[in-house]
Structure formats: structure tokens, C-alpha cells
Amino acid sequence: MATRPALRRLWNWLAPRLRRGLTFWRRSIQARVVASTVVLSAVVVSGVGWILLQQTRDGLVRHRVEVVQGEVDAEVADAQDRLAAASGTEVNVGRQQRDLVDPIIERGDSRGYSVVLAGPEGQDPPLRNGGGEYSSGLDLVSVPESLEAHFDGVNRATAWTYTQIVRRNADGIHREPGVIVGSQVQLPADGKTYTLYFLFPLTEEKDTLALVTRALLTAAGLLLALVAGLTWLVTRQVVTPIRMARQVAERLAAGRLQERLQVSGEDDLARLAYSFNQMATNLQRQIRQLEELSWVQRRFVSDVSHELRTPLTTVRMASDVLHDAREDFDPATARSAELMQAELDRFENLLVDLLEISRFDAGAAVLSTENVHLGDVVRRVVEAAQPLADQRGVRVVVQEPAVPVRADVDVRRVERIVRNLVTNAIDHALADDPTEAVLVRLASDDEAAAITVRDHGVGLAPGEASMVFNRFWRSDPARTRTSGGTGLGLAIAQEDAHLHGGWLQAWGRTGQGAQFRLTVPRHAGGTLRHSPLPLIPEDAVSSDAAIVVGPSGVVPALEEGP
């Protein structure tokens, strides 16, 4: 249990460093190129080094075996000569065995190899149980059983194999790799065939191979370090201009349109920097032109809107006089007076909307917030729109929770948003289906308040959801609108929602109607993360997309906010 706090402290210390390392790895193409180059180089160097070590080891062992076989052949020839010289005298078998092996053991002790003399076939005890003569300190397990089995008869050819030479002394047991060579000789004293085993250690070859291995590892380490350094320098020459271009692009995106890259040389990167600067210059010029054009357009709309108010007021006064006296006119003139009054109302509404749009464009729109019950605002809008709903034969139903839905909002602007949504829903609803009503719902939580307006009318065709908030856009320009909209209602509603730091979202499907959702923070200046009401109606497929209009503009979204 005591280890858990220590592990937790270790993780708390390690986690931020891991995150910084992962962030650096994701963002640094230079680090990834260097790492991948070093890894690939390490794989190649390891493969080449392994091949070189294998070839070196095989060469050392092959040379050692050739030398050993030559030395064994010389020893066996000398032994046979000595045995042949003593064959004419009566010699004890044991004495002849010692005369045979003792000189070889003495030379082996001086030259670094060991000797074992194994008795003839059927000797009791066998070699592994102590039979035979051998060099001092040698353990007979050093003789492989496979090689013993090779010399289980007479007239066997000389053979060799690898073995583990085991020696026992006062310091303990020592093991070392070696080569063992076996050869048969015939003892004249008894006429039987004996086997001589010569065990040559491979210590020098092992030391040589270790030296070569250390040299290769050192060279590989230095080579990888050199490759890493060269790769870092080469990638730095390419990455540094890219980083400078990124920094300049970020400053351009932040509005510092005068930023440019330094151009030095005539290589591809210099030409890229020159092209980047040309692009930035052209963008700066076009942005300034667009800003000037936008300013001129806004100024024109504002000036025209203000200039039209005076003649409109005069025309309105004359129209009011004619409209009030229409009963004294003939039917055609009276109808003309009514039409003129209606069109003046429409024109005045358009002028008011244009003035509101010009205030948004000029950045002069401000909020006057107060904590209000949004249910009162919705009911007030629905009551005002009831005559239009009765004319169209559409029912409007308001659903609100038992707990009042309150929020800090600009009442005038929220009321204008809801009015636009409700009148649009009534205007697009299907009047011949009394079971389908325009449904207005309210809900709230600790952070946000939401209002949805649902109709079951013609809906929105694919691609139209991205255009419903455009100025002067209509889904069917040729269709008669009994509500007399100007085409700016949803655009103004979008700006009002934006001003509150809220979202205005739209969902629709052809033949299934549409739903609009307004979500605002409950407290002024709050940040939205979700909406208390779903955007997609329960009777619709949940995979449909929507358009979210929030503080950052229009972006695609699903049920929750951006």
C-alpha cells in the first residue's frame, strides 16, 4: 500500500513531461525525420555488423581448425613413429600408454591444449567414468558423446567438432569454448586401437571477436551520431524557412498584413519565399479592396436608409390620409389606397431591417440585458402572431417546464428572434393538416437556456440549411409569402444570437418540416458548451446535420453545440 503514493508522485512527475514530449513529437517534423533516419540507419548498421561478425567468426574458427588439424596430424604421426620404434621390444601395456601420452600432454601443457587418451572399445570403466589418461585438471565431460560415438570402432577417420572445455582446480570450475579433434592410434603392446582427443581452446579467437565487436559497436555509435547530426543540419536548412513561413502566415492571419519573408539566394526555398511574399501582397491588396468595398457598401446602405426615412415619412402621411378617406373613393381607387398602405408597411419594415443590418455591420449594436422569464417573451410573441396563425389555419403550441426559464438577455432582440422563427414556421406550415401544430418548447439548466420552434411543413432540401441565414435568401423565391417577409429576418436573428454569445441552429428535411433552436447563456458573458434541448426532433433520424451559428460564425454540427 505504501508504494501507491510513490507511484502516484512518479506519475505526476512523469505525465507532464510525456505530454510535452508527445506534443514536441507531433509538431516537429525535424525530430521525426531525424528519429526515422537514425532508426533506419541503426537497422542497416546492425544488419551489416551482424554479417561482418558472422564472417569474422567463421574466418577465425576456420583458420583455427586448419591449424589445429595440422598440429594434430603432426602429433599423431610422431606418436606412431615412436610406437613403431618400440614395437620390437617387450614393453608393458601400461608403460607404452604412458610413453605414448605423456610427451603429448607435456607439449599440450606448454602450447595451451589438453589431451585425452581413451582406451580401446569395451574398456571398463568407460571414459566418462574415469577411464583413460588425460591432462591434469581436465574434466572428461569436455569430450562430446557424439565424438565418442564416432570412434566406437577401429579404423575411424580423424574427426573434429566444437565443445565446451571444462577445467577443475582450486578456484572452481572454468568453462571456455574450444575445438576437439579425435584420431586413432594402434598400441603395439596389445595390438588394440586407442583414441587420442586433442582439446584446443578458442580463447584467442573469442578475445579477437570481442575486440572486433567492440570496434564495430563504437564505429556504429559514432556513425549513428554522425548521421543524426548531419540529418539534423540538413533538415534544419529546410525546416527553418518553413517555420518562418508559418510564423509569418500566423501574423498575416492575425491581421498584420505587412509581414513578409526574407528572401536570400536563388534556390527553391528562396523562390518559395518570393512566391509567398507575392501571394501575401496580392492578398493584402484584395483584402483592402474588399474592406473598402464593404465599407462603401455599408455606408451606402446606411446613407440610403437614412435618406429614405424623410421622403418615406411624407409618403406615409399622404398614404394615411388617402387610406382614411378610402370609403369616399370608388372601389378601384379605394383598393389602390389599401395596396399602397400595405406596400408602405412592407417598405418601412425593409427600411428598419436595413438600418439594423447597417448597425451590425458598423459594429454599433450593443446589448441591454436584464434577467427575464423567457416564457413570457415566447407567449407574448405567440399572442401577437395568433392572427396570422388563424389566417393560415395553423395551431401554435407552447411547451415550457414547471420551473421558469430565466436568462440575462436583451428582451427586444430575443423577442425579435423568436418572432422571426414563429412567423416563418407559421408561414411554412401545412394548413391542411390540423393535427400538426407549430411547437415552441423551452428548457434551461445551470448554464444555458434554449427555445426550439418546430414546424411540419415543406422542410429544407439538402444544402439549404447552409443558406437559411443568408441575407435576402428564400427557399422558393417564386412563392407568395403572406407574412410579407423581407428576407432579412433570419440574418438579423443570426446577428442577435451572435451578439448574445449564443447559437442559432437549423435542422430540416424535405417533407418532414424544420426545427430552429436558439441557445443563449443564462448569465451574461457566459460560454456555451451544450444546449438543454436537442436540435434534431425525436421523430427524425438523429444522423442529420445542422448549421450552427455561434460566436465564431457558421460551422457544421450535430445535436450539441460547436
Side-chain angles (χ1 to χ4, degrees):
M1 298 296 292
T3 59
R4 290 185 178 179
L7 291 175
R8 189 178 297 109
R9 288 193 299 270
L10 177 62
W11 173 252
N12 292 336
W13 178 85
L14 189 61
R17 289 165 175 79
L18 288 176
R19 285 194 293 269
R20 286 196 294 269
L22 291 175
T23 301
F24 175 76
W25 174 262
R26 290 194 304 267
R27 294 183 177 178
S28 177
I29 188 174
Q30 187 175 6
R32 293 200 300 273
V33 170
V34 172
S36 58
T37 303
V38 170
V39 170
L40 292 175
S41 300
V43 172
V44 173
V45 169
S46 300
V48 174
W50 182 82
I51 294 174
L52 290 177
L53 285 176
Q54 291 294 109
Q55 292 180 347
T56 302
R57 186 193 65 179
D58 294 343
L60 290 173
V61 172
R62 189 183 307 110
H63 179 266
R64 181 60 172 165
V65 169
E66 292 175 354
V67 172
V68 163
Q69 286 179 331
E71 192 167 350
V72 168
D73 291 340
E75 290 287 352
V76 171
D78 179 69
Q80 289 176 344
D81 291 341
R82 286 188 284 107
L83 290 175
S87 61
T89 62
E90 292 292 335
V91 182
N92 182 273
V93 174
R95 174 67 179 274
Q96 199 169 56
Q97 289 180 358
R98 289 190 295 274
D99 291 342
L100 170 65
V101 74
D102 287 349
I104 301 176
I105 291 177
E106 291 178 3
R107 284 193 295 271
D109 292 339
S110 63
R111 297 180 183 179
Y113 62 85
S114 302
V115 180
V116 175
L117 175 64
E121 182 181 3
Q123 177 187 358
D124 188 22
L127 178 62
R128 290 187 171 275
N129 293 329
E133 301 288 337
Y134 51 91
S135 300
S136 175
L138 180 68
D139 194 323
L140 293 180
V141 298
S142 303
V143 181
E145 294 181 0
S146 59
L147 192 61
E148 282 189 76
H150 175 75
F151 293 105
D152 59 354
V154 297
N155 298 324
R156 303 291 182 170
T158 301
W160 69 274
T161 186
Y162 298 109
T163 187
Q164 190 81 5
I165 301 176
V166 180
R167 301 182 188 276
R168 297 177 182 271
N169 51 35
D171 297 334
I173 300 176
H174 299 277
R175 302 175 185 272
E176 58 182 342
V179 174
I180 181 170
V181 181
S183 183
Q184 290 183 334
V185 295
Q186 188 176 21
L187 202 65
D190 57 4
K192 294 183 179 180
T193 301
Y194 292 77
T195 304
L196 280 170
Y197 295 101
F198 298 84
L199 294 91
F200 295 85
L202 295 176
T203 305
E204 294 183 0
E205 288 72 16
K206 181 180 177 181
D207 294 341
T208 303
L209 190 62
L211 178 63
V212 173
T213 302
R214 288 194 298 269
L216 285 176
L217 290 176
T218 304
L222 294 176
L223 179 62
L224 291 179
L226 180 61
V227 169
L230 291 176
T231 306
W232 182 269
L233 291 176
V234 172
T235 54
R236 181 181 178 85
Q237 295 179 357
V238 178
V239 172
T240 299
I242 296 177
R243 289 176 178 170
M244 295 176 58
R246 175 184 59 82
Q247 295 171 358
V248 172
E250 290 175 351
R251 290 194 287 268
L252 288 173
R256 299 166 61 179
L257 302 179
Q258 72 281 0
E259 292 289 334
R260 296 294 184 271
L261 285 173
Q262 294 183 355
V263 181
S264 59
E266 298 181 356
D267 56 8
D268 292 335
L269 292 177
R271 292 163 61 188
L272 176 62
Y274 178 76
S275 301
F276 183 92
N277 291 340
Q278 281 189 322
M279 178 190 68
T281 301
N282 294 334
L283 287 176
Q284 181 182 13
R285 182 171 59 253
Q286 293 179 8
I287 289 173
R288 287 179 176 174
Q289 291 176 353
L290 290 175
E291 287 177 347
E292 294 175 357
L293 180 61
S294 178
W295 181 86
V296 171
Q297 181 182 8
R298 291 196 301 268
R299 184 62 182 271
F300 174 77
V301 172
S302 178
D303 292 345
V304 169
S305 301
H306 283 87
E307 292 298 329
L308 287 177
R309 294 188 67 85
T310 300
L312 180 61
T313 302
T314 304
V315 175
R316 165 65 71 181
M317 294 174 58
S319 174
D320 290 341
V321 172
L322 294 175
H323 188 266
D324 293 339
R326 68 184 182 280
E327 295 181 356
D328 299 333
F329 301 152
D330 58 87
T333 305
R335 179 57 181 164
S336 298
E338 293 175 354
L339 291 175
M340 183 174 65
Q341 186 75 2
E343 292 303 318
L344 280 174
D345 291 339
R346 182 182 178 88
F347 184 72
E348 193 171 33
N349 291 335
L350 175 60
L351 189 59
V352 171
D353 289 345
L354 286 174
L355 288 172
E356 189 68 20
I357 286 290
S358 66
R359 280 192 287 271
F360 281 121
D361 291 339
V366 294
L367 287 178
S368 178
T369 60
E370 56 180 305
N371 190 268
V372 298
H373 182 9
L374 294 181
D376 296 338
V377 177
V378 170
R379 285 191 297 272
R380 189 162 56 247
V381 170
V382 171
E383 290 175 1
Q386 193 61 48
L388 176 62
D390 294 339
Q391 180 184 353
R392 292 297 306 271
V394 177
R395 292 186 305 115
V396 181
V397 178
V398 179
Q399 291 183 358
E400 55 181 316
V403 180
V405 178
R406 305 190 68 87
D408 296 334
V409 296
D410 188 324
V411 178
R412 180 180 66 87
R413 297 184 184 278
V414 171
E415 187 172 339
R416 180 165 58 191
I417 296 173
V418 177
R419 182 170 58 250
N420 272 289
L421 299 181
V422 171
T423 54
N424 283 343
I426 294 173
D427 188 59
H428 290 84
L430 299 177
D432 56 351
D433 191 353
T435 62
E436 301 290 354
V438 173
L439 178 61
V440 184
R441 297 177 61 195
L442 296 92
S444 65
D445 57 21
D446 294 338
E447 297 181 357
I451 301 172
T452 61
V453 180
R454 171 78 161 109
D455 69 74
H456 299 82
V458 295
L460 295 173
E464 290 185 349
S466 62
M467 298 184 291
V468 291
F469 300 105
N470 292 348
R471 300 177 183 182
F472 299 107
W473 183 86
R474 292 183 181 179
S475 60
D476 186 1
R479 188 171 57 83
T480 302
R481 294 175 58 95
T482 59
S483 60
T486 63
L488 294 173
L490 289 178
I492 295 175
Q494 168 192 345
E495 298 290 348
D496 285 331
H498 185 180
L499 201 60
H500 281 84
W503 305 333
L504 186 57
Q505 300 165 285
W507 169 90
R509 295 187 66 182
T510 304
Q512 296 188 22
Q515 177 161 293
F516 288 78
R517 180 177 69 179
L518 170 67
T519 309
V520 293
R522 287 200 59 190
H523 306 286
T527 301
L528 292 180
R529 294 180 178 86
H530 66 280
S531 179
L533 289 174
L535 173 62
I536 302 175
E538 297 177 356
D539 58 347
V541 180
S542 61
S543 61
D544 287 298
I547 294 299
V548 180
V549 180
S552 59
V554 183
V555 295
L558 292 177
E559 180 174 324
E560 294 302 329

